[in-house]
Amino acid sequence: MFQPITNDQLIAVANEFGTPVYVYHAEKIADQYQKLTNAFKAHPTRFFYACKALTNINILKYLKSLGASLDCVSIHEVNLGLMAGFLPEQILFTPNCVDFNEIIDATVLGVRINIDNISILEQFGNRFGSEYPVCIRINPHIVAGGNYKISTGHIDSKFGISIHQLRHIERIVKTTKLNVEGLHMHTGSEIKDIDVFLQGLDIMFGIASNFKELDYIDLGSGFKVAYKEDDRETDVAALGARVADAATKFEKEYNRKLEIWFEPGKYLVSECGSFVVKVNVIKQTTATVFAGVNSGFNHLIRPMFYDSYHRISNITNPNGPQRIYTVAGNICETDTFAWDRVINEVREGDYLVFHNAGAYGFEMSSNFNSRLKPAEVMIENGEARLIRHADKFGDLLRNQVV
Ligand SMILES: *Cc1c(COP(=O)(O)O)cnc(C)c1O
């Protein structure tokens, strides 16, 4: 049975490694991975961890050990994946607006390629013909996702080849004899409604009959996790049953086995992550009580970037009376993590935890304000180990010409 991480464990990590610090709980990743594989066991399904969410090589190795494959969006992620021990066959490269040379580099490494643009498809076909299989990323124009910034399927999106260009895709495939092994779609992040996936799957089946030798249909991601107490995550069990059903039916019509692939990022690593900060100051203004912490949007940009909600708890005063705070960072720009949040009384020196900080947390951090990036720690089997050192002052100067 999965045991969540305790406040005492987090406090011990903060005391040992300092704050701010990102802490990842390995068993929570395993728990999420298990939920997915259980949900989809009725049909051959593969999960490609979308590693842009969190690329620490220890996390990559851990996901490899669970049996996951890997979805990469840059050649450097591909190289990290290979270093972590993934086989080229287990890596899907899904770039967008990259130089054609980066795609050629990926073919040299032997990984799977997902192409999302007519111009690149044509260049790829002219160069490789039937020699190197490809997957084609389709934009089915389904509008889905938590908000506009994380929705990718809409008409103005730069992602994928529009389904209305299917005839053009077919022309290129026919003329260059491209070997199309898979079709892909990824309509956005945080999709609550499983019908969106099924609608997408239906559209993909509709196109599949134009390609006779597909091995898989990749439905991307969009699995939502719970951010607030009363939030619900995507019902993967219900989705799994319906996808398996639809896929098994379609295989008969298509006369060929078809795997279903997904690319979860957030679903696998969001909840495993706790970001622990220390309260530097309590500042009372006429209207607000600010809790000012030793971090900022340079370490966790999601609230300022797309209004994401992170639950916050005071782990050093968990039974204190509840009061209302605005939690702010130390960056010289508007830098608010949360407005009007009910938290157990916060005192200077307390440790606060931002929950759901595993995905797009450390990964989007920067050195803005010449601040140092935090350390990363992984807790596995009850043991905490450092998996990235915090920056030191010298790191700020590393590539500067002085
Ligand atoms: C970002 C991304 C994902 C992962 O999205 P999550 O919301 O983190 O699950 C999957 N596939 C592609 C192509 C992506 O760009």
Side-chain angles (χ1 to χ4, degrees), residues 11 13 109 113 124 148 196 222 226 292 300 327 351 360 398:
I11 292 169
V13 168
L109 298 172
I113 313 270
F124 196 93
Y148 196 78
V196 171
L300 178 63
V327 179
Y351 290 146
Y360 311 105
R398 196 167 32 174

Side-chain angles (χ1 to χ4, degrees), residues 50 52 71 73 94 137 184 186 189 221-222 263-266 360:
K52 73 171 187 283
D71 184 65
V73 293
T94 304
R137 178 172 187 171
H184 171 279
H186 169 68
S189 210
S221 180
E263 302 162 350
K266 206 172 273 174
Y360 311 105

Side-chain angles (χ1 to χ4, degrees), residues 74-330:
S74 74
I75 195 72
H76 308 299
E77 283 187 357
V78 170
N79 278 310
L80 284 170
L82 292 169
M83 278 179 72
F86 287 92
L87 303 172
E89 179 278 324
Q90 298 174 304
I91 296 179
L92 177 64
F93 182 40
T94 304
N96 173 261
C97 291
V98 301
D99 191 304
F100 188 55
N101 288 317
E102 192 169 325
I103 291 175
I104 294 183
D105 291 348
T107 65
V108 173
L109 298 172
V111 300
R112 298 177 189 271
I113 313 270
N114 189 3
I115 292 181
D116 98 324
N117 152 350
I118 287 280
S119 151
I120 298 280
L121 191 70
E122 198 161 51
Q123 292 178 62
F124 196 93
N126 287 336
R127 176 143 179 161
F128 294 100
S130 61
E131 272 160 38
Y132 204 105
V134 286
C135 175
I136 300 178
R137 178 172 187 171
I138 304 287
N139 183 344
H141 302 304
I142 300 173
V143 180
N147 68 41
Y148 196 78
K149 279 191 195 164
I150 56 176
S151 172
T152 56
H154 54 80
I155 197 91
D156 292 328
S157 170
K158 67 166 185 158
F159 295 101
I161 303 175
S162 168
I163 192 164
H164 304 305
Q165 289 173 292
L166 187 59
R167 275 297 294 137
H168 199 168
I169 298 175
E170 282 175 339
R171 281 207 173 87
I172 294 169
V173 169
K174 188 149 174 257
T175 314
T176 64
K177 305 195 167 48
L178 261 176
N179 169 8
V180 183
E181 63 170 8
L183 294 178
H184 171 279
M185 61 167 255
H186 169 68
T187 49
S189 210
E190 308 199 350
I191 304 169
K192 258 180 285 195
D193 177 6
I194 63 172
D195 287 337
V196 171
F197 289 97
L198 290 153
Q199 195 191 341
L201 187 61
D202 235 22
I203 294 174
M204 299 308 260
F205 287 159
I207 309 174
S209 37
N210 299 288
F211 305 93
K212 300 290 176 223
E213 312 221 302
L214 296 178
D215 294 326
Y216 57 87
I217 286 181
D218 182 335
L219 294 177
S221 180
F223 296 112
K224 190 188 163 351
V225 295
Y227 285 100
K228 301 183 183 172
E229 267 93 4
D230 51 359
D231 256 5
R232 274 184 307 139
E233 62 178 36
T234 305
D235 184 351
V236 293
L239 178 64
R242 290 179 62 187
V243 165
D245 207 36
T248 308
K249 272 203 197 99
F250 181 72
E251 277 178 339
K252 293 210 182 80
E253 194 180 305
Y254 189 59
N255 237 328
R256 189 181 164 88
K257 296 265 172 236
L258 261 186
E259 288 184 358
I260 300 293
W261 291 8
F262 285 101
E263 302 162 350
K266 206 172 273 174
Y267 189 83
L268 290 173
V269 298
S270 172
E271 288 156 292
C272 80
S274 306
F275 183 47
V276 187
V277 301
K278 185 167 69 74
V279 178
N280 282 338
V281 289
I282 300 292
K283 181 172 186 175
Q284 181 120 29
T285 65
T286 17
T288 307
V289 184
F290 285 97
V293 303
N294 66 347
S295 179
F297 71 69
N298 54 327
H299 295 158
L300 178 63
I301 200 173
R302 302 184 73 249
M304 291 306 299
F305 190 37
Y306 35 56
D307 291 329
S308 68
Y309 182 99
H310 291 266
R311 269 191 309 117
I312 300 175
S313 36
N314 183 351
I315 52 174
T316 39
N317 192 22
N319 301 314
Q322 296 197 315
R323 301 188 59 189
I324 298 163
Y325 297 92
T326 290
V327 179
N330 57 9

